[in-house]
Amino acid sequence: MSNFLDRFNKTVVGIKSKIADYIPTISPQGDFKRTTNLDAILLSWNNILLTPVRTYTFDPEYGCELYKMVFEPADTTTIQKIKDEILSKLQTYDDRARITNIQVDFLTNKKGFTIAIQVEYEGERSELGLTLDDSMYFRFMEVTE
């Protein structure tokens, strides 16, 4: 019996030294793709930052309110508020990796901004990029009403 449990832990949920998660994909191999280590963390962070607060039934405080800053003025105060929201939510819900830099740029052709978060985890480096614009804001507002 422990042989099945060991195999499950190593192939499905991961082991203590290796974080694992699954993402839905359309591929010939199946409907899910296994991600590990930094990719799994970035997937988690993406979910946290793009989930509006009060929309997750089992934890109403889970999520982020970045979408509310879409119509804020394009200035340094707003950039700092965006960075503070990101740091606060990621430290609260998933602090497994270290953020080395957060870059915020405002969109020029419509209301919104892009975020580039540089991340480091066990020597691996990567970047999480997000774009929040007015269309996303209105979709979130439909969900939260």
Side-chain angles (χ1 to χ4, degrees), residues 35-43 45-46 90 97-103 115-130:
T35 61
T36 57
N37 291 341
L38 190 54
D39 290 334
I41 293 170
L42 293 179
L43 177 66
W45 286 11
N46 189 60
L90 293 182
R98 187 172 69 86
I99 297 172
T100 57
N101 188 34
I102 300 174
Q103 178 68 38
I115 303 167
I117 305 171
Q118 279 82 37
V119 182
E120 185 177 306
Y121 175 75
E122 292 185 351
E124 279 185 81
R125 292 175 186 240
S126 190
E127 181 176 291
L128 174 63
L130 301 170

Side-chain angles (χ1 to χ4, degrees), residues 22-64:
Y22 288 87
I23 57 173
T25 61
I26 298 174
S27 72
Q29 290 80 23
D31 294 336
F32 294 96
K33 177 184 174 192
R34 187 170 193 248
T35 61
T36 57
N37 291 341
L38 190 54
D39 290 334
I41 293 170
L42 293 179
L43 177 66
S44 171
W45 286 11
N46 189 60
N47 289 338
I48 293 166
L49 296 177
L50 293 181
T51 301
V53 174
R54 292 175 297 286
T55 59
Y56 188 66
T57 305
F58 300 108
D59 186 0
E61 294 302 313
Y62 177 84
C64 195

